[in-house]
Amino acid sequence: MDFKDQILQLAVRAEKMLPQIQTEEATKNALIMPFIQIMGYDVFNPFEVNPEFVADIGIKKGEKVDYAIMKDGEPAILIECKHHLENLDPHNSQLFRYFHTTKAKFGLLSNGMTYRFYTDLVEKNKMDTTPFFEFKLSEIKEVEIAELKKFHKSYFDVENITNTASELKYLNELKIILNKEINAPSENFIAFFTKQVYPGVLTSKIKEQFTPIIKRSFAQLINDIINDRLKSALNQEKQKDAQEAIKIEEAQENAQSNIVTTEEELEGFYIVKSILRQSIDAKRITYRDAQSYFAILLDDNNRKTICRLYLDHKKHLAILDESKKEIKYEISGIDEIYKYGDILIKTVERLNKK
């Protein structure tokens, strides 16, 4: 199971377990420890995951952080855990205090469902007040899984993560601002866009008039982008289906070109045809040759198989019963087909009723 599937599986399990998780300790055991394991760290090895890591703060001794992920004998990521129902907003100050007393480059604050990653982008060795990366386990997106994977033990590289942390932080903050402005546009936001299309003076009445127009514009723009992507995805799927159909057709043509109808198979066909003349019009009896057998059909319909001839090695006459299961009769030569005339006639009578 790959990393993405493991994270998605944890999300499904977490939703089911939440009603049974009553304490912070249960949150750690049921949600956060499995998450750390998925990240590639051995939660039972204190050289990798050190629980109750001591982070002395000035004169306060014995201060502990829930977990420290270790690298080369030093803490690399400090993890502070809360109950899954707790709001994380008031709690980053506790992690903030631990951060500057250790050599850890990253802090993680989590309640098992929301995960916030912090570093020191604003001031070196001082944890930022806002996370540079955040995701919710129940709503995790493809792009977030790709970012999260950078913290996996196999890919963890402090410099690499730090280089992208700044961009991630500003990207997330801008997304929040844009989302807020689209849903409840501020006066400056309204004024900025109105000026682009309205040549007159921006009075309060004009701004009020343009507010719903701008909101609708963004809503329609987003819908258009989504529809375009859906159309593109559908077109790609159609192209893929068409290519698959061509491949299948080519494979069938290649298989057909390798089929050689033998004189013995044709002689067997004529024997069956002569047996059935007394029951039906002989013109209705046809054949189709395949790589493994020679099929004799009624009305050139492969759903109305009268019999199959296997003449390559051991010779057999095969009849399909009502459940399409083959019943094989061994024959020493094609003349023995005459021995099964009654069975062939009954088979045709059954097929003719369909």
Side-chain angles (χ1 to χ4, degrees), residues 5 22 35 40 60 62 76 88 100 102 115 117 129 137 142 166 202 209 217 277-278 285 308 327-328 335-336 354:
D5 290 334
Q22 304 296 328
F35 171 79
K60 292 185 72 175
L88 295 180
H100 78 276
T102 71
Y115 293 78
F117 289 82
T129 55
L137 191 60
E142 289 271 355
S166 178
L202 298 186
Q209 178 186 338
S217 297
R277 282 179 186 276
Q278 56 187 300
I285 304 169
R308 291 172 180 169
I327 302 171
K328 285 187 174 182
D335 286 337
E336 283 194 30
K354 292 184 177 181

mmCIF file of all heavy atoms in Angstrom, residues 5 22 35 40 60 62 76 88 100 102 115 117 129 137 142 166 202 209 217 277-278 285 308 327-328 335-336 354:
data_model
loop_
_atom_site.group_PDB
_atom_site.id
_atom_site.type_symbol
_atom_site.label_atom_id
_atom_site.label_comp_id
_atom_site.label_asym_id
_atom_site.label_seq_id
_atom_site.Cartn_x
_atom_site.Cartn_y
_atom_site.Cartn_z
ATOM 1 N N ASP A 5 -2.483 5.943 -0.130
ATOM 2 C CA ASP A 5 -3.531 5.018 0.312
ATOM 3 C C ASP A 5 -3.533 4.860 1.827
ATOM 4 O O ASP A 5 -4.600 4.727 2.446
ATOM 5 C CB ASP A 5 -3.333 3.655 -0.351
ATOM 6 C CG ASP A 5 -3.623 3.682 -1.847
ATOM 7 O OD1 ASP A 5 -4.403 4.551 -2.260
ATOM 8 O OD2 ASP A 5 -3.060 2.865 -2.593
ATOM 9 N N GLN A 22 -12.393 9.371 23.793
ATOM 10 C CA GLN A 22 -12.910 10.280 24.813
ATOM 11 C C GLN A 22 -11.843 11.155 25.462
ATOM 12 O O GLN A 22 -12.175 12.154 26.101
ATOM 13 C CB GLN A 22 -13.618 9.469 25.916
ATOM 14 C CG GLN A 22 -14.729 8.557 25.399
ATOM 15 C CD GLN A 22 -15.880 9.318 24.773
ATOM 16 O OE1 GLN A 22 -16.199 10.431 25.175
ATOM 17 N NE2 GLN A 22 -16.496 8.724 23.759
ATOM 18 N N PHE A 35 -0.541 7.968 12.658
ATOM 19 C CA PHE A 35 -0.082 8.943 11.676
ATOM 20 C C PHE A 35 1.447 8.986 11.633
ATOM 21 O O PHE A 35 2.053 8.983 10.547
ATOM 22 C CB PHE A 35 -0.637 10.329 12.018
ATOM 23 C CG PHE A 35 -0.053 11.441 11.189
ATOM 24 C CD1 PHE A 35 -0.490 11.665 9.894
ATOM 25 C CD2 PHE A 35 0.954 12.251 11.704
ATOM 26 C CE1 PHE A 35 0.062 12.678 9.122
ATOM 27 C CE2 PHE A 35 1.513 13.267 10.947
ATOM 28 C CZ PHE A 35 1.064 13.476 9.645
ATOM 29 N N GLY A 40 6.588 6.883 8.521
ATOM 30 C CA GLY A 40 7.806 6.080 8.411
ATOM 31 C C GLY A 40 8.628 5.951 9.674
ATOM 32 O O GLY A 40 9.722 5.376 9.655
ATOM 33 N N LYS A 60 12.150 27.006 34.353
ATOM 34 C CA LYS A 60 11.159 25.935 34.449
ATOM 35 C C LYS A 60 11.789 24.655 33.921
ATOM 36 O O LYS A 60 12.101 24.546 32.735
ATOM 37 C CB LYS A 60 9.905 26.291 33.652
ATOM 38 C CG LYS A 60 9.108 27.443 34.238
ATOM 39 C CD LYS A 60 7.816 27.670 33.481
ATOM 40 C CE LYS A 60 6.821 26.566 33.753
ATOM 41 N NZ LYS A 60 5.512 26.828 33.123
ATOM 42 N N GLY A 62 11.908 20.399 33.407
ATOM 43 C CA GLY A 62 11.025 19.238 33.266
ATOM 44 C C GLY A 62 9.820 19.477 32.371
ATOM 45 O O GLY A 62 8.895 18.661 32.354
ATOM 46 N N ALA A 76 14.111 16.823 15.616
ATOM 47 C CA ALA A 76 13.919 17.489 14.323
ATOM 48 C C ALA A 76 12.513 18.070 14.215
ATOM 49 O O ALA A 76 12.308 19.140 13.639
ATOM 50 C CB ALA A 76 14.166 16.508 13.181
ATOM 51 N N LEU A 88 -7.484 24.117 18.011
ATOM 52 C CA LEU A 88 -6.030 24.249 18.126
ATOM 53 C C LEU A 88 -5.558 25.698 18.277
ATOM 54 O O LEU A 88 -4.414 25.932 18.678
ATOM 55 C CB LEU A 88 -5.347 23.618 16.906
ATOM 56 C CG LEU A 88 -5.506 22.103 16.747
ATOM 57 C CD1 LEU A 88 -4.785 21.629 15.496
ATOM 58 C CD2 LEU A 88 -4.987 21.363 17.971
ATOM 59 N N HIS A 100 11.992 27.162 20.845
ATOM 60 C CA HIS A 100 13.259 27.898 20.853
ATOM 61 C C HIS A 100 14.278 27.323 21.841
ATOM 62 O O HIS A 100 15.423 27.738 21.874
ATOM 63 C CB HIS A 100 13.012 29.387 21.135
ATOM 64 C CG HIS A 100 12.767 29.711 22.573
ATOM 65 N ND1 HIS A 100 11.522 29.593 23.133
ATOM 66 C CD2 HIS A 100 13.604 30.134 23.562
ATOM 67 C CE1 HIS A 100 11.601 29.940 24.404
ATOM 68 N NE2 HIS A 100 12.843 30.277 24.699
ATOM 69 N N THR A 102 15.080 24.073 21.854
ATOM 70 C CA THR A 102 15.665 22.866 21.252
ATOM 71 C C THR A 102 16.241 23.207 19.875
ATOM 72 O O THR A 102 16.105 24.328 19.386
ATOM 73 C CB THR A 102 14.604 21.757 21.079
ATOM 74 O OG1 THR A 102 13.707 22.132 20.031
ATOM 75 C CG2 THR A 102 13.831 21.542 22.369
ATOM 76 N N TYR A 115 -3.769 18.968 11.340
ATOM 77 C CA TYR A 115 -2.316 18.952 11.537
ATOM 78 C C TYR A 115 -1.735 20.274 11.051
ATOM 79 O O TYR A 115 -1.907 20.653 9.892
ATOM 80 C CB TYR A 115 -1.685 17.787 10.775
ATOM 81 C CG TYR A 115 -2.088 16.438 11.324
ATOM 82 C CD1 TYR A 115 -3.340 15.885 11.022
ATOM 83 C CD2 TYR A 115 -1.228 15.710 12.139
ATOM 84 C CE1 TYR A 115 -3.717 14.652 11.544
ATOM 85 C CE2 TYR A 115 -1.595 14.471 12.662
ATOM 86 C CZ TYR A 115 -2.848 13.957 12.351
ATOM 87 O OH TYR A 115 -3.209 12.731 12.868
ATOM 88 N N PHE A 117 1.773 22.560 10.741
ATOM 89 C CA PHE A 117 3.236 22.521 10.751
ATOM 90 C C PHE A 117 3.790 23.943 10.826
ATOM 91 O O PHE A 117 3.383 24.817 10.056
ATOM 92 C CB PHE A 117 3.755 21.843 9.484
ATOM 93 C CG PHE A 117 3.510 20.357 9.449
ATOM 94 C CD1 PHE A 117 2.278 19.851 9.045
ATOM 95 C CD2 PHE A 117 4.514 19.462 9.810
ATOM 96 C CE1 PHE A 117 2.047 18.479 9.003
ATOM 97 C CE2 PHE A 117 4.292 18.090 9.778
ATOM 98 C CZ PHE A 117 3.059 17.601 9.375
ATOM 99 N N THR A 129 3.998 32.375 14.399
ATOM 100 C CA THR A 129 2.694 32.256 15.063
ATOM 101 C C THR A 129 1.650 31.589 14.163
ATOM 102 O O THR A 129 0.624 31.118 14.648
ATOM 103 C CB THR A 129 2.173 33.640 15.480
ATOM 104 O OG1 THR A 129 2.137 34.483 14.323
ATOM 105 C CG2 THR A 129 3.062 34.248 16.549
ATOM 106 N N LEU A 137 -7.411 15.891 8.127
ATOM 107 C CA LEU A 137 -7.381 14.497 7.711
ATOM 108 C C LEU A 137 -8.651 14.108 6.961
ATOM 109 O O LEU A 137 -8.594 13.349 5.990
ATOM 110 C CB LEU A 137 -7.195 13.596 8.942
ATOM 111 C CG LEU A 137 -6.871 12.124 8.680
ATOM 112 C CD1 LEU A 137 -5.579 11.987 7.886
ATOM 113 C CD2 LEU A 137 -6.770 11.360 9.987
ATOM 114 N N GLU A 142 -5.071 15.972 -2.816
ATOM 115 C CA GLU A 142 -3.909 15.372 -3.494
ATOM 116 C C GLU A 142 -2.656 16.225 -3.288
ATOM 117 O O GLU A 142 -1.589 15.711 -2.959
ATOM 118 C CB GLU A 142 -4.189 15.239 -4.997
ATOM 119 C CG GLU A 142 -5.201 14.183 -5.357
ATOM 120 C CD GLU A 142 -4.566 12.824 -5.582
ATOM 121 O OE1 GLU A 142 -3.326 12.742 -5.539
ATOM 122 O OE2 GLU A 142 -5.311 11.852 -5.777
ATOM 123 N N SER A 166 8.173 28.764 2.867
ATOM 124 C CA SER A 166 7.771 30.157 2.687
ATOM 125 C C SER A 166 6.684 30.274 1.628
ATOM 126 O O SER A 166 5.662 30.939 1.829
ATOM 127 C CB SER A 166 8.986 31.003 2.294
ATOM 128 O OG SER A 166 8.599 32.336 2.083
ATOM 129 N N LEU A 202 -16.863 56.364 -8.241
ATOM 130 C CA LEU A 202 -17.299 55.231 -7.427
ATOM 131 C C LEU A 202 -18.005 55.710 -6.170
ATOM 132 O O LEU A 202 -17.402 55.894 -5.114
ATOM 133 C CB LEU A 202 -16.107 54.352 -7.049
ATOM 134 C CG LEU A 202 -15.338 53.678 -8.190
ATOM 135 C CD1 LEU A 202 -14.287 52.736 -7.636
ATOM 136 C CD2 LEU A 202 -16.281 52.926 -9.107
ATOM 137 N N GLN A 209 -24.081 48.481 -5.924
ATOM 138 C CA GLN A 209 -24.624 47.871 -7.137
ATOM 139 C C GLN A 209 -23.680 46.782 -7.681
ATOM 140 O O GLN A 209 -24.111 45.729 -8.149
ATOM 141 C CB GLN A 209 -24.849 48.950 -8.197
ATOM 142 C CG GLN A 209 -25.372 48.424 -9.528
ATOM 143 C CD GLN A 209 -25.440 49.530 -10.582
ATOM 144 O OE1 GLN A 209 -25.494 50.735 -10.250
ATOM 145 N NE2 GLN A 209 -25.428 49.131 -11.840
ATOM 146 N N SER A 217 -19.718 37.092 -10.716
ATOM 147 C CA SER A 217 -18.644 36.922 -11.702
ATOM 148 C C SER A 217 -17.648 35.861 -11.256
ATOM 149 O O SER A 217 -17.245 34.994 -12.031
ATOM 150 C CB SER A 217 -17.912 38.250 -11.932
ATOM 151 O OG SER A 217 -18.777 39.215 -12.467
ATOM 152 N N ARG A 277 -29.999 -30.953 -42.143
ATOM 153 C CA ARG A 277 -30.860 -30.553 -43.261
ATOM 154 C C ARG A 277 -32.305 -30.962 -43.041
ATOM 155 O O ARG A 277 -33.222 -30.248 -43.464
ATOM 156 C CB ARG A 277 -30.361 -31.210 -44.562
ATOM 157 C CG ARG A 277 -29.162 -30.542 -45.180
ATOM 158 C CD ARG A 277 -28.744 -31.281 -46.450
ATOM 159 N NE ARG A 277 -27.499 -30.744 -46.989
ATOM 160 C CZ ARG A 277 -27.415 -29.679 -47.782
ATOM 161 N NH1 ARG A 277 -28.521 -29.038 -48.109
ATOM 162 N NH2 ARG A 277 -26.260 -29.267 -48.228
ATOM 163 N N GLN A 278 -32.498 -32.095 -42.392
ATOM 164 C CA GLN A 278 -33.859 -32.598 -42.189
ATOM 165 C C GLN A 278 -34.632 -31.760 -41.169
ATOM 166 O O GLN A 278 -35.853 -31.867 -41.094
ATOM 167 C CB GLN A 278 -33.798 -34.046 -41.714
ATOM 168 C CG GLN A 278 -32.976 -34.245 -40.456
ATOM 169 C CD GLN A 278 -32.781 -35.686 -40.093
ATOM 170 O OE1 GLN A 278 -33.760 -36.397 -39.867
ATOM 171 N NE2 GLN A 278 -31.533 -36.133 -40.032
ATOM 172 N N ILE A 285 -27.121 -22.575 -41.404
ATOM 173 C CA ILE A 285 -25.981 -23.155 -40.689
ATOM 174 C C ILE A 285 -24.686 -22.545 -41.232
ATOM 175 O O ILE A 285 -24.400 -22.645 -42.424
ATOM 176 C CB ILE A 285 -25.959 -24.687 -40.838
ATOM 177 C CG1 ILE A 285 -27.291 -25.273 -40.350
ATOM 178 C CG2 ILE A 285 -24.795 -25.286 -40.042
ATOM 179 C CD1 ILE A 285 -27.466 -26.736 -40.700
ATOM 180 N N ARG A 308 -18.967 -27.174 -31.321
ATOM 181 C CA ARG A 308 -17.594 -26.771 -31.592
ATOM 182 C C ARG A 308 -16.777 -28.029 -31.902
ATOM 183 O O ARG A 308 -16.964 -29.072 -31.257
ATOM 184 C CB ARG A 308 -16.991 -26.047 -30.383
ATOM 185 C CG ARG A 308 -17.593 -24.676 -30.121
ATOM 186 C CD ARG A 308 -17.106 -24.100 -28.808
ATOM 187 N NE ARG A 308 -17.668 -22.792 -28.543
ATOM 188 C CZ ARG A 308 -17.575 -22.157 -27.366
ATOM 189 N NH1 ARG A 308 -16.955 -22.759 -26.351
ATOM 190 N NH2 ARG A 308 -18.117 -20.969 -27.201
ATOM 191 N N ILE A 327 -20.114 -29.553 -23.156
ATOM 192 C CA ILE A 327 -20.108 -31.000 -22.916
ATOM 193 C C ILE A 327 -19.325 -31.605 -24.077
ATOM 194 O O ILE A 327 -19.752 -31.532 -25.239
ATOM 195 C CB ILE A 327 -21.540 -31.574 -22.872
ATOM 196 C CG1 ILE A 327 -22.357 -30.868 -21.784
ATOM 197 C CG2 ILE A 327 -21.508 -33.080 -22.652
ATOM 198 C CD1 ILE A 327 -23.826 -31.206 -21.803
ATOM 199 N N LYS A 328 -18.168 -32.196 -23.780
ATOM 200 C CA LYS A 328 -17.278 -32.696 -24.827
ATOM 201 C C LYS A 328 -17.440 -34.207 -25.037
ATOM 202 O O LYS A 328 -17.543 -34.971 -24.073
ATOM 203 C CB LYS A 328 -15.826 -32.371 -24.489
ATOM 204 C CG LYS A 328 -15.453 -30.912 -24.706
ATOM 205 C CD LYS A 328 -13.951 -30.706 -24.519
ATOM 206 C CE LYS A 328 -13.551 -29.282 -24.866
ATOM 207 N NZ LYS A 328 -12.098 -29.065 -24.742
ATOM 208 N N ASP A 335 -15.804 -38.581 -39.001
ATOM 209 C CA ASP A 335 -16.959 -39.402 -39.375
ATOM 210 C C ASP A 335 -17.795 -39.794 -38.153
ATOM 211 O O ASP A 335 -18.990 -40.074 -38.279
ATOM 212 C CB ASP A 335 -16.496 -40.669 -40.102
ATOM 213 C CG ASP A 335 -16.035 -40.368 -41.529
ATOM 214 O OD1 ASP A 335 -16.478 -39.338 -42.072
ATOM 215 O OD2 ASP A 335 -15.226 -41.135 -42.083
ATOM 216 N N GLU A 336 -17.156 -39.816 -36.985
ATOM 217 C CA GLU A 336 -17.888 -40.172 -35.764
ATOM 218 C C GLU A 336 -18.903 -39.110 -35.358
ATOM 219 O O GLU A 336 -19.712 -39.325 -34.458
ATOM 220 C CB GLU A 336 -16.910 -40.439 -34.618
ATOM 221 C CG GLU A 336 -16.238 -41.786 -34.696
ATOM 222 C CD GLU A 336 -15.542 -42.152 -33.396
ATOM 223 O OE1 GLU A 336 -15.999 -41.708 -32.313
ATOM 224 O OE2 GLU A 336 -14.531 -42.862 -33.460
ATOM 225 N N LYS A 354 -35.399 -19.867 -29.497
ATOM 226 C CA LYS A 354 -34.991 -18.597 -28.871
ATOM 227 C C LYS A 354 -35.352 -17.413 -29.757
ATOM 228 O O LYS A 354 -35.312 -17.494 -30.959
ATOM 229 C CB LYS A 354 -33.462 -18.607 -28.582
ATOM 230 C CG LYS A 354 -33.089 -19.597 -27.499
ATOM 231 C CD LYS A 354 -31.619 -19.487 -27.188
ATOM 232 C CE LYS A 354 -31.225 -20.421 -26.057
ATOM 233 N NZ LYS A 354 -29.785 -20.318 -25.701
#
